Amino acid sequence: MKFHNLFSAYDFEEPRLYDNAIVIMIDVLRASTTVCASLFNGAEAVIACDSYEKAMNLYKSKKNKRTFILAGEENTTPPAGFTLGNSPLEYNIDVVRKKTIILATSNGTKVFEKAKEAPYRIVGSFVNANAVLDFVEITMKSNIDRIITICSGSSSGTNKEIAAEDVLCAGMFLDEISSHFPDPYLSDSAKIAQDFFISNSDNIHNVISQSKHARDLRSKGFAKDIIFASTANKCSILPIVQENSKIIAHK
Ligand code: MLT
């Protein structure tokens, strides 16, 4: 089994990279965590949009708007005309149950729109770690020859940066899944993520809370989001990305 990691949504993708792959899409702060919270609290689905305009137009096109919520963040707060932001704490049962969330964020939803050729695209984070590992353990027995983690990275303005919290999460999945194989092949980027996890496995909350994006979120009053996002297995749900970037809970 081969293992590969992309450090951000903007990383190079070799041709046919996603053939026969399970792709784990990671945006710990906060899009993956928010998708898990919304589906765990009863949302019908989350539709990922790689631009705010696309999300707004999709929402405007819906006749029965009462079952849709336009949500997302730009520089951590909801863009104009959006109902919800990207804090997982906003997505409680009363707000999202039986609703479809139309979501656009800086980086995370761009990742969720990638790798369309892959047979399996799932959303991963710390809050649903065991659900991801259980799904991969079962699914990798079918015609799968590689596991790929895609980190969303963080951005401020036009700067796109590697996000420590995403690489830590990717490393956790790569380390745990590759341990099931006698002779796994890890690309250098997968090995770097795995080593980063191994050297910080007893320091997870600290690595997340000291990351650049966490400091940014804390400075804007979202400290509780960081605690939520670092809580392992808080939402035992497996979001799976379908063709039209519609994300539903795997049954
Ligand atoms: C992103 O998509 O870049 C993040 O989820 C941003 C955030 O929620 O702060």
Side-chain angles (χ1 to χ4, degrees):
M1 184 67 80
K2 297 186 193 120
F3 295 84
H4 187 51
N5 176 57
L6 276 68
F7 286 107
S8 89
Y10 314 94
D11 253 13
F12 170 72
E13 297 163 298
E14 66 189 64
R16 314 203 60 173
L17 173 65
Y18 300 115
D19 291 5
N20 308 322
I22 297 175
V23 178
I24 307 171
M25 303 174 143
I26 300 167
D27 183 13
V28 173
L29 297 176
R30 296 169 289 177
S32 285
T33 303
T34 297
V35 166
C36 290
S38 49
L39 295 175
F40 185 72
N41 288 330
E44 284 292 322
V46 177
I47 301 175
C49 299
D50 57 11
S51 77
Y52 305 111
E53 194 192 3
K54 195 171 173 182
M56 179 63 84
N57 291 341
L58 182 61
Y59 180 73
K60 283 184 178 158
S61 74
K62 298 298 176 190
K63 292 198 176 44
N64 183 2
K65 285 188 175 50
R66 275 178 309 107
T67 59
F68 291 89
I69 299 175
L70 181 59
E73 65 66 52
E74 192 168 19
N75 293 329
T76 77
T77 53
F82 281 51
T83 307
L84 289 183
N86 199 31
S87 163
L89 302 172
E90 296 175 77
Y91 292 74
N92 54 56
I93 295 175
D94 306 338
V95 173
V96 301
R97 207 167 74 79
K98 296 204 172 305
K99 298 283 173 67
T100 294
I101 318 287
I102 298 175
L103 186 69
T105 70
S106 308
N107 303 292
T109 53
K110 291 182 179 65
V111 167
F112 303 152
E113 289 238 49
K114 291 174 78 69
K116 289 192 164 87
E117 314 78 31
Y120 299 100
R121 295 184 289 162
I122 59 177
V123 174
S125 61
F126 290 105
V127 296
N128 73 332
N130 285 350
V132 168
L133 294 170
D134 293 348
F135 176 84
V136 171
E137 190 173 348
I138 294 161
T139 313
M140 67 187 174
K141 295 191 180 96
S142 56
N143 178 26
I144 294 294
D145 67 8
R146 70 193 70 181
I147 308 288
I148 300 172
T149 49
I150 307 183
C151 301
S152 88
S154 73
S155 58
S156 49
T158 53
N159 297 344
K160 306 289 181 203
E161 295 179 40
I162 290 177
E165 66 276 11
D166 293 343
V167 179
L168 188 69
C169 189
M172 173 188 68
F173 289 131
L174 293 163
D175 184 54
E176 176 55 34
I177 301 166
S178 64
S179 70
H180 294 259
F181 295 88
D183 185 23
Y185 168 77
L186 278 82
S187 67
D188 290 0
S189 63
K191 197 83 189 70
I192 292 166
Q194 180 189 35
D195 292 349
F196 184 58
F197 169 71
I198 291 170
S199 47
N200 289 291
S201 53
D202 54 5
N203 192 27
I204 289 180
H205 182 73
N206 202 33
V207 170
I208 297 172
S209 61
Q210 292 314 315
S211 74
K212 177 182 174 300
H213 195 46
R215 282 179 274 132
D216 193 20
L217 287 168
R218 231 184 343 265
S219 71
K220 295 178 180 159
F222 295 110
K224 288 189 180 143
D225 291 5
I226 301 161
I227 297 165
F228 187 102
S230 334
T231 310
N233 304 310
K234 191 167 178 59
C235 306
S236 56
I237 194 117
L238 195 278
I240 195 156
V241 187
Q242 302 182 309
E243 259 149 55
N244 47 13
S245 300
K246 187 175 182 181
I247 308 173
I248 61 167
H250 178 68
K251 296 272 180 305

PDB file of all heavy atoms in Angstrom, residues 3 19 25 29 59 72 79 90 94 110 113 116 167 204 208 213 244:
ATOM      1  N   PHE A   3       1.416   5.462   0.417  1.00  0.00           N
ATOM      2  CA  PHE A   3       0.895   6.571   1.223  1.00  0.00           C
ATOM      3  C   PHE A   3       1.495   7.873   0.718  1.00  0.00           C
ATOM      4  O   PHE A   3       2.715   7.942   0.478  1.00  0.00           O
ATOM      5  CB  PHE A   3       1.241   6.360   2.694  1.00  0.00           C
ATOM      6  CG  PHE A   3       0.570   5.140   3.293  1.00  0.00           C
ATOM      7  CD1 PHE A   3       1.126   3.878   3.149  1.00  0.00           C
ATOM      8  CD2 PHE A   3      -0.630   5.267   3.970  1.00  0.00           C
ATOM      9  CE1 PHE A   3       0.500   2.751   3.663  1.00  0.00           C
ATOM     10  CE2 PHE A   3      -1.274   4.147   4.503  1.00  0.00           C
ATOM     11  CZ  PHE A   3      -0.707   2.884   4.336  1.00  0.00           C
ATOM     12  N   ASP A  19      -6.268   7.716  -8.736  1.00  0.00           N
ATOM     13  CA  ASP A  19      -6.829   6.413  -9.153  1.00  0.00           C
ATOM     14  C   ASP A  19      -6.681   5.403  -8.012  1.00  0.00           C
ATOM     15  O   ASP A  19      -5.620   5.358  -7.370  1.00  0.00           O
ATOM     16  CB  ASP A  19      -6.045   5.873 -10.366  1.00  0.00           C
ATOM     17  CG  ASP A  19      -6.290   6.719 -11.628  1.00  0.00           C
ATOM     18  OD1 ASP A  19      -6.982   7.756 -11.491  1.00  0.00           O
ATOM     19  OD2 ASP A  19      -5.750   6.372 -12.685  1.00  0.00           O
ATOM     20  N   MET A  25      -9.505  14.192   3.463  1.00  0.00           N
ATOM     21  CA  MET A  25      -9.418  15.647   3.291  1.00  0.00           C
ATOM     22  C   MET A  25      -9.480  16.320   4.661  1.00  0.00           C
ATOM     23  O   MET A  25     -10.423  16.088   5.422  1.00  0.00           O
ATOM     24  CB  MET A  25     -10.554  16.092   2.378  1.00  0.00           C
ATOM     25  CG  MET A  25     -10.502  15.353   1.047  1.00  0.00           C
ATOM     26  SD  MET A  25     -11.887  15.676  -0.010  1.00  0.00           S
ATOM     27  CE  MET A  25     -11.046  15.677  -1.596  1.00  0.00           C
ATOM     28  N   LEU A  29      -8.834  23.291  11.490  1.00  0.00           N
ATOM     29  CA  LEU A  29      -9.343  24.629  11.870  1.00  0.00           C
ATOM     30  C   LEU A  29      -9.809  25.340  10.595  1.00  0.00           C
ATOM     31  O   LEU A  29      -9.059  26.093   9.994  1.00  0.00           O
ATOM     32  CB  LEU A  29      -8.245  25.417  12.588  1.00  0.00           C
ATOM     33  CG  LEU A  29      -7.743  24.844  13.916  1.00  0.00           C
ATOM     34  CD1 LEU A  29      -6.587  25.672  14.457  1.00  0.00           C
ATOM     35  CD2 LEU A  29      -8.861  24.771  14.945  1.00  0.00           C
ATOM     36  N   TYR A  59     -27.311  29.095  -3.505  1.00  0.00           N
ATOM     37  CA  TYR A  59     -28.367  29.370  -2.516  1.00  0.00           C
ATOM     38  C   TYR A  59     -29.521  30.121  -3.174  1.00  0.00           C
ATOM     39  O   TYR A  59     -30.682  29.763  -3.003  1.00  0.00           O
ATOM     40  CB  TYR A  59     -27.801  30.188  -1.358  1.00  0.00           C
ATOM     41  CG  TYR A  59     -28.821  30.518  -0.292  1.00  0.00           C
ATOM     42  CD1 TYR A  59     -29.288  29.543   0.576  1.00  0.00           C
ATOM     43  CD2 TYR A  59     -29.331  31.812  -0.168  1.00  0.00           C
ATOM     44  CE1 TYR A  59     -30.236  29.832   1.542  1.00  0.00           C
ATOM     45  CE2 TYR A  59     -30.278  32.116   0.789  1.00  0.00           C
ATOM     46  CZ  TYR A  59     -30.729  31.122   1.636  1.00  0.00           C
ATOM     47  OH  TYR A  59     -31.693  31.418   2.570  1.00  0.00           O
ATOM     48  N   GLY A  72     -20.280  30.003   5.921  1.00  0.00           N
ATOM     49  CA  GLY A  72     -18.872  30.015   5.560  1.00  0.00           C
ATOM     50  C   GLY A  72     -18.103  31.117   6.254  1.00  0.00           C
ATOM     51  O   GLY A  72     -18.641  31.818   7.125  1.00  0.00           O
ATOM     52  N   PRO A  79     -18.988  35.917   5.357  1.00  0.00           N
ATOM     53  CA  PRO A  79     -19.087  36.970   4.338  1.00  0.00           C
ATOM     54  C   PRO A  79     -20.478  37.611   4.386  1.00  0.00           C
ATOM     55  O   PRO A  79     -21.412  37.023   4.936  1.00  0.00           O
ATOM     56  CB  PRO A  79     -18.881  36.200   3.026  1.00  0.00           C
ATOM     57  CG  PRO A  79     -18.274  34.889   3.416  1.00  0.00           C
ATOM     58  CD  PRO A  79     -18.789  34.585   4.783  1.00  0.00           C
ATOM     59  N   GLU A  90     -21.573  26.844  16.219  1.00  0.00           N
ATOM     60  CA  GLU A  90     -22.831  27.419  15.686  1.00  0.00           C
ATOM     61  C   GLU A  90     -23.747  26.322  15.138  1.00  0.00           C
ATOM     62  O   GLU A  90     -24.946  26.525  14.963  1.00  0.00           O
ATOM     63  CB  GLU A  90     -22.518  28.381  14.522  1.00  0.00           C
ATOM     64  CG  GLU A  90     -21.717  29.620  14.872  1.00  0.00           C
ATOM     65  CD  GLU A  90     -21.375  30.398  13.589  1.00  0.00           C
ATOM     66  OE1 GLU A  90     -22.270  31.090  13.049  1.00  0.00           O
ATOM     67  OE2 GLU A  90     -20.231  30.265  13.097  1.00  0.00           O
ATOM     68  N   ASP A  94     -30.597  22.345  16.951  1.00  0.00           N
ATOM     69  CA  ASP A  94     -31.753  23.220  16.657  1.00  0.00           C
ATOM     70  C   ASP A  94     -31.570  23.986  15.358  1.00  0.00           C
ATOM     71  O   ASP A  94     -32.524  24.275  14.640  1.00  0.00           O
ATOM     72  CB  ASP A  94     -31.951  24.241  17.793  1.00  0.00           C
ATOM     73  CG  ASP A  94     -32.051  23.526  19.131  1.00  0.00           C
ATOM     74  OD1 ASP A  94     -32.390  22.321  19.094  1.00  0.00           O
ATOM     75  OD2 ASP A  94     -31.737  24.142  20.167  1.00  0.00           O
ATOM     76  N   LYS A 110     -12.223  24.297  -0.736  1.00  0.00           N
ATOM     77  CA  LYS A 110     -11.481  24.111  -1.987  1.00  0.00           C
ATOM     78  C   LYS A 110     -10.903  22.692  -2.025  1.00  0.00           C
ATOM     79  O   LYS A 110     -10.893  22.037  -3.062  1.00  0.00           O
ATOM     80  CB  LYS A 110     -10.372  25.153  -2.104  1.00  0.00           C
ATOM     81  CG  LYS A 110     -10.898  26.574  -2.316  1.00  0.00           C
ATOM     82  CD  LYS A 110      -9.767  27.584  -2.472  1.00  0.00           C
ATOM     83  CE  LYS A 110     -10.317  28.991  -2.711  1.00  0.00           C
ATOM     84  NZ  LYS A 110     -11.079  29.537  -1.541  1.00  0.00           N
ATOM     85  N   GLU A 113     -13.476  20.013  -2.902  1.00  0.00           N
ATOM     86  CA  GLU A 113     -13.868  19.980  -4.326  1.00  0.00           C
ATOM     87  C   GLU A 113     -12.790  19.305  -5.185  1.00  0.00           C
ATOM     88  O   GLU A 113     -12.936  19.223  -6.393  1.00  0.00           O
ATOM     89  CB  GLU A 113     -14.114  21.411  -4.827  1.00  0.00           C
ATOM     90  CG  GLU A 113     -15.380  22.068  -4.279  1.00  0.00           C
ATOM     91  CD  GLU A 113     -16.331  22.499  -5.401  1.00  0.00           C
ATOM     92  OE1 GLU A 113     -16.595  21.654  -6.295  1.00  0.00           O
ATOM     93  OE2 GLU A 113     -16.767  23.654  -5.401  1.00  0.00           O
ATOM     94  N   LYS A 116     -11.657  14.502  -7.617  1.00  0.00           N
ATOM     95  CA  LYS A 116     -12.934  13.916  -8.062  1.00  0.00           C
ATOM     96  C   LYS A 116     -12.743  12.535  -8.699  1.00  0.00           C
ATOM     97  O   LYS A 116     -13.661  11.735  -8.744  1.00  0.00           O
ATOM     98  CB  LYS A 116     -13.636  14.876  -9.037  1.00  0.00           C
ATOM     99  CG  LYS A 116     -14.176  16.141  -8.326  1.00  0.00           C
ATOM    100  CD  LYS A 116     -15.131  16.940  -9.227  1.00  0.00           C
ATOM    101  CE  LYS A 116     -15.961  17.934  -8.414  1.00  0.00           C
ATOM    102  NZ  LYS A 116     -15.356  19.235  -8.174  1.00  0.00           N
ATOM    103  N   VAL A 167      -1.168  18.997   9.237  1.00  0.00           N
ATOM    104  CA  VAL A 167      -0.082  18.031   9.034  1.00  0.00           C
ATOM    105  C   VAL A 167      -0.030  17.042  10.202  1.00  0.00           C
ATOM    106  O   VAL A 167       0.171  15.837  10.007  1.00  0.00           O
ATOM    107  CB  VAL A 167       1.271  18.761   8.866  1.00  0.00           C
ATOM    108  CG1 VAL A 167       2.419  17.771   8.676  1.00  0.00           C
ATOM    109  CG2 VAL A 167       1.213  19.736   7.686  1.00  0.00           C
ATOM    110  N   ILE A 204      -0.550  16.999  21.339  1.00  0.00           N
ATOM    111  CA  ILE A 204      -1.453  17.393  20.239  1.00  0.00           C
ATOM    112  C   ILE A 204      -2.141  18.729  20.505  1.00  0.00           C
ATOM    113  O   ILE A 204      -2.072  19.653  19.678  1.00  0.00           O
ATOM    114  CB  ILE A 204      -2.480  16.270  19.980  1.00  0.00           C
ATOM    115  CG1 ILE A 204      -1.755  15.084  19.330  1.00  0.00           C
ATOM    116  CG2 ILE A 204      -3.633  16.751  19.114  1.00  0.00           C
ATOM    117  CD1 ILE A 204      -2.600  13.900  19.006  1.00  0.00           C
ATOM    118  N   ILE A 208      -1.711  22.219  18.213  1.00  0.00           N
ATOM    119  CA  ILE A 208      -2.860  22.846  17.540  1.00  0.00           C
ATOM    120  C   ILE A 208      -3.033  24.281  18.052  1.00  0.00           C
ATOM    121  O   ILE A 208      -3.117  25.225  17.269  1.00  0.00           O
ATOM    122  CB  ILE A 208      -4.150  22.033  17.779  1.00  0.00           C
ATOM    123  CG1 ILE A 208      -4.031  20.636  17.173  1.00  0.00           C
ATOM    124  CG2 ILE A 208      -5.366  22.764  17.203  1.00  0.00           C
ATOM    125  CD1 ILE A 208      -5.182  19.699  17.514  1.00  0.00           C
ATOM    126  N   HIS A 213      -2.840  29.660  12.636  1.00  0.00           N
ATOM    127  CA  HIS A 213      -4.269  29.918  12.464  1.00  0.00           C
ATOM    128  C   HIS A 213      -5.004  29.910  13.809  1.00  0.00           C
ATOM    129  O   HIS A 213      -5.941  30.680  14.019  1.00  0.00           O
ATOM    130  CB  HIS A 213      -4.893  28.890  11.506  1.00  0.00           C
ATOM    131  CG  HIS A 213      -6.238  29.302  11.008  1.00  0.00           C
ATOM    132  ND1 HIS A 213      -6.510  30.572  10.543  1.00  0.00           N
ATOM    133  CD2 HIS A 213      -7.398  28.628  10.932  1.00  0.00           C
ATOM    134  CE1 HIS A 213      -7.784  30.656  10.193  1.00  0.00           C
ATOM    135  NE2 HIS A 213      -8.349  29.493  10.426  1.00  0.00           N
ATOM    136  N   ASN A 244     -20.996  15.559  -6.752  1.00  0.00           N
ATOM    137  CA  ASN A 244     -21.303  16.997  -6.874  1.00  0.00           C
ATOM    138  C   ASN A 244     -20.842  17.783  -5.647  1.00  0.00           C
ATOM    139  O   ASN A 244     -21.424  18.820  -5.321  1.00  0.00           O
ATOM    140  CB  ASN A 244     -22.809  17.152  -7.052  1.00  0.00           C
ATOM    141  CG  ASN A 244     -23.524  16.288  -6.032  1.00  0.00           C
ATOM    142  OD1 ASN A 244     -22.883  15.805  -5.076  1.00  0.00           O
ATOM    143  ND2 ASN A 244     -24.817  16.100  -6.190  1.00  0.00           N
TER     144      ASN A 244
END
